[in-house]
Amino acid sequence: PERFEENMQALGIRVRTHFRFEDHHVYSAHEVMELLRWRGEDEIILITEKDRVKLERLVPEPYRPSIYS
């Protein structure tokens, strides 16, 4: 997670909130909705490619364009 965050900062991306989960974490629909709730109207959620695969099925269709890996 630290390297991912460092890369975002190096690209000039302002990180407002960090959510960290253990490796191999099994996400729940409730956790996904919490992540989406924290997202501001003009903000996106950045995740690793590995987590995107895990989260895709849990993210409701209208929110999918706001999540990037």
Side-chain angles (χ1 to χ4, degrees):
E2 293 81 19
R3 192 165 140 221
F4 181 76
E5 293 166 12
E6 289 169 4
N7 289 339
M8 296 303 103
Q9 290 174 351
L11 292 170
I13 296 172
R14 185 178 69 88
V15 178
R16 184 173 68 95
T17 305
H18 298 238
F19 291 92
R20 293 185 183 177
F21 297 92
E22 295 295 319
D23 236 3
H24 308 290
H25 180 76
V26 177
Y27 295 95
S28 70
H30 175 76
E31 288 171 328
V32 170
M33 293 312 293
E34 277 296 298
L35 291 172
L36 293 169
R37 187 179 71 77
W38 275 92
R39 180 185 59 89
E41 190 172 311
D42 61 344
E43 296 176 323
I44 62 171
I45 296 173
L46 290 172
I47 58 176
T48 63
E49 191 68 34
K50 186 170 84 172
D51 285 331
R52 181 183 178 99
V53 171
K54 295 181 199 177
L55 291 173
E56 257 180 342
R57 64 180 175 76
L58 297 172
V59 177
E61 185 67 39
Y63 296 103
R64 288 184 187 163
S66 64
I67 299 179
Y68 295 88
S69 57

